[in-house]
Amino acid sequence: MTRIFTASDGESRFADVDVPLAEAGAIGRLSERVAATGVIFRETPADYDYDWHPAPQRQYIVLLDGEIEITVGDGETRRFRGGDVLLVEDTTGRGHRTRTVNGRSRRSLFVTLD
């Protein structure tokens, strides 16, 4: 999973996060339960290009399809596509930029944490 957070200088950064999984028998491996406050379904258009913005709240974003490019405050840019999970926590500072890169609409699921 990729985390986007605000560093001490007020700029957003990426961090790679491993989610610990424990054996749960026949059903496979599971993480610990994460308390959430809501679920939001979202669709963005093929020409989506959202300038610098902080996240409105801490949230997981699960990309269902499509492909986006996110740039954080230190200039690093990464691409994400269907199946990727983001933990977005840059709720202060300049935030990040997001744009669609494959010319198709994108569907995603937001799981709010605050």
Side-chain angles (χ1 to χ4, degrees):
M1 173 173 58
T2 300
R3 177 179 178 229
I4 301 174
F5 67 98
T6 305
S8 60
D9 64 359
E11 294 289 348
S12 59
R13 302 280 190 279
F14 287 119
D16 296 318
V17 178
D18 290 323
V19 178
L21 301 175
E23 284 298 328
I27 63 169
R29 301 174 67 207
L30 300 175
S31 72
E32 291 291 322
R33 180 183 299 254
V34 176
T37 57
V39 174
I40 301 167
F41 293 86
R42 181 179 188 195
E43 183 174 23
T44 54
D47 61 351
Y48 183 78
D49 190 351
Y50 194 21
D51 207 0
W52 294 102
H53 62 284
Q57 70 266 327
R58 290 181 62 240
Q59 57 195 359
Y60 287 106
I61 300 177
V62 181
L63 280 80
L64 302 175
D65 58 17
E67 186 174 356
I68 59 171
E69 184 175 86
I70 297 178
T71 302
V72 293
D74 68 355
E76 183 178 357
T77 299
R78 294 188 186 184
R79 286 191 175 195
F80 303 95
R81 59 191 50 88
D84 288 334
V85 178
L86 306 171
L87 172 57
V88 184
E89 299 183 300
D90 62 337
T91 59
T92 61
R94 181 169 60 151
H96 58 276
R97 288 190 55 149
T98 307
R99 71 180 188 93
T100 298
V101 294
N102 66 350
R104 297 191 338 226
S105 63
R106 170 180 54 108
R107 292 177 298 170
S108 53
L109 180 70
F110 289 30
V111 180
T112 58
L113 301 174
D114 290 334

